[in-house]
Amino acid sequence: MSDAEEFQLPEWAQLIDQGGPRERYVAATPMGEFTVHTHGGQVTSWVGHGRERLWTSETAEYAVGKAIRGGIPVIFPWFANGPGGERKPSHGLARLATWELAGWGTTDEPDDTMDLQFDLGEQDLDPSLRNTGDWPSGVRAHVQVEIGADALIIRLTLVNYTDEPVSCEAALHTYLAVADVEDAVIEGLDGVRFYDKVARREDVTDQPVPFGDEVDRIYETKEPVVLCDGTHSLRVGGQLGSSDAGPRPAQTVVWNPGRDKGPGIADISDWRGFVCIEAAAIGVDALVIPPAGSGGGDVPFGFSTLTQTLTLLPTEQLR
Ligand SMILES: O=P(O)(O)OC[C@H]1O[C@@H](O)[C@H](O)[C@@H](O)[C@@H]1O
């Protein structure tokens, strides 16, 4: 199915470079601009208040079987190598697949927004990744990328058409642009328990995140955090929802490879230029996607959502 044949694109969106992993949609709206590559259903640019807010590597590879380094990779159905540590490829299948444009929308005042929506099912995977038992059968993934005057909201919805609950992991692996990671500060993590993937232990501290060193932490956050790089500030919040339960906070993963490992990663052009702040549902906090009918009535599906909201803070507008 060709996206362009299925949908009449709105005048603010444009399809560029048809075919292959460089194919992308650019949405140029009065609130700013964003780009989504169909490879990975991955946001690769967000220009808000006239400035690029995401980091995408200058040496990123746009190739079948490779994940694009930067932007907002969609991680599903497992994080890293999964709960048991044996699953491959790292970070699941969704970021390697070609997603299809599924729709677009707008809302009016008082909260003007515009969005593009993308869809992925098992049959859209590369043939080598299909029917292996790795993709949860009967589940479809949906991504909505919504831009507002001060925010970008990305929502991953996992729809379960089966009669059984489905367990999976998911993350929105956002690479945020910073002037220099060693000057970056994340507010809102003091006293928040985290699993330190570098030290391999649980910890809690009120010391600043030691950027410059390798940082790889899964925080049990309850509230949004704020990223400041000395000049700009952005609030980052993650939330989970489902057809059978109210909203709850997502975990927050903070990652930067640091001065020892960063320079050795070929598709990272500048390890100092980003901080990953990811909304996640991992391990004991993995998602259980409710079955069909879980929302009541005869609804033929259940669903879980993982949403990340990136908000430019008011001080930004005063610059
Ligand atoms: O190189 P990848 O597969 O994109 O992963 C990057 C990083 O992603 C983070 O989410 C993980 O916590 C890190 O452990 C990992 O190194």
Side-chain angles (χ1 to χ4, degrees):
M1 169 168 82
S2 152
D3 308 336
E5 284 164 21
E6 289 290 311
F7 294 101
Q8 185 70 40
L9 278 174
E11 59 186 19
W12 46 267
Q14 193 191 353
L15 173 62
I16 296 182
D17 201 0
Q18 292 197 21
R22 285 187 184 271
E23 179 178 89
R24 60 202 184 272
Y25 288 88
V26 176
T29 82
M31 285 89 68
E33 199 170 302
F34 66 88
T35 301
V36 184
H37 276 70
T38 52
H39 186 65
Q42 187 162 333
V43 182
T44 48
S45 168
W46 167 39
V47 178
H49 294 182
R51 164 179 263 272
E52 177 60 61
R53 304 297 167 166
L54 302 178
W55 177 91
T56 296
S57 178
E58 288 170 15
T59 52
E61 289 187 65
Y62 298 83
V64 174
K66 296 273 184 184
I68 301 170
R69 179 71 72 184
I72 310 181
V74 176
I75 307 304
F76 173 78
W78 60 85
F79 183 86
N81 296 111
E86 80 295 350
R87 304 198 79 171
K88 287 188 176 135
S90 169
H91 283 335
L93 307 174
R95 66 177 181 166
L96 302 176
T98 306
W99 293 58
E100 289 196 339
L101 185 72
W104 55 272
T106 60
T107 63
D108 294 331
E109 291 182 54
D111 294 316
D112 286 354
T113 64
M114 293 176 174
D115 69 75
L116 294 178
Q117 301 148 24
F118 296 83
D119 225 13
L120 180 69
E122 180 165 18
Q123 293 315 309
D124 305 319
L125 298 178
D126 187 77
S128 63
L129 300 174
R130 230 181 265 163
N131 306 322
T132 59
D134 284 335
W135 183 271
S137 66
V139 171
R140 288 192 73 82
H142 186 80
V143 158
Q144 180 186 39
V145 185
E146 180 179 280
I147 193 167
D150 303 317
L152 190 79
I153 302 168
I154 173 162
R155 176 171 296 115
L156 171 66
T157 302
L158 301 163
V159 186
N160 178 7
Y161 291 94
T162 77
D163 293 331
E164 300 293 333
V166 173
S167 298
C168 61
E169 294 179 310
L172 298 168
H173 192 307
T174 305
Y175 288 75
L176 295 164
V178 292
D180 185 335
V181 69
E182 293 207 58
D183 297 330
V185 173
I186 302 179
E187 296 170 358
L189 293 176
D190 285 2
V192 178
R193 180 161 290 280
F194 62 95
Y195 179 72
D196 187 333
K197 289 183 70 178
V198 179
R200 297 179 182 219
R201 61 180 162 86
E202 298 221 343
D203 206 348
V204 59
T205 177
D206 53 10
Q207 294 299 305
V209 181
F211 289 122
D213 296 343
E214 180 184 7
V215 171
D216 196 354
R217 299 178 172 188
I218 304 171
Y219 285 90
E220 305 304 319
T221 37
K222 300 275 182 289
E223 302 286 340
V225 299
V226 174
L227 172 67
C228 314
D229 74 349
T231 319
H232 306 285
S233 298
L234 192 72
R235 186 168 62 232
V236 185
Q239 198 171 57
L240 301 169
S242 73
S243 49
D244 68 354
R248 62 189 169 96
Q251 296 159 311
T252 302
V253 180
V254 177
W255 178 67
N256 179 280
R259 63 178 78 80
D260 292 339
K261 284 194 175 167
I265 305 176
D267 67 350
I268 292 186
S269 53
D270 174 18
W271 66 272
R272 292 180 174 278
F274 70 88
V275 173
C276 282
I277 302 185
E278 312 167 31
I282 305 170
V284 290
D285 270 346
L287 295 172
V288 180
I289 317 171
S294 54
D298 295 329
V299 184
F301 57 83
F303 65 87
S304 290
T305 57
L306 171 62
T307 306
Q308 190 180 54
T309 304
L310 307 170
T311 310
L312 302 170
L313 293 183
T315 48
E316 186 71 41
Q317 295 162 18
L318 302 175
R319 278 189 306 116

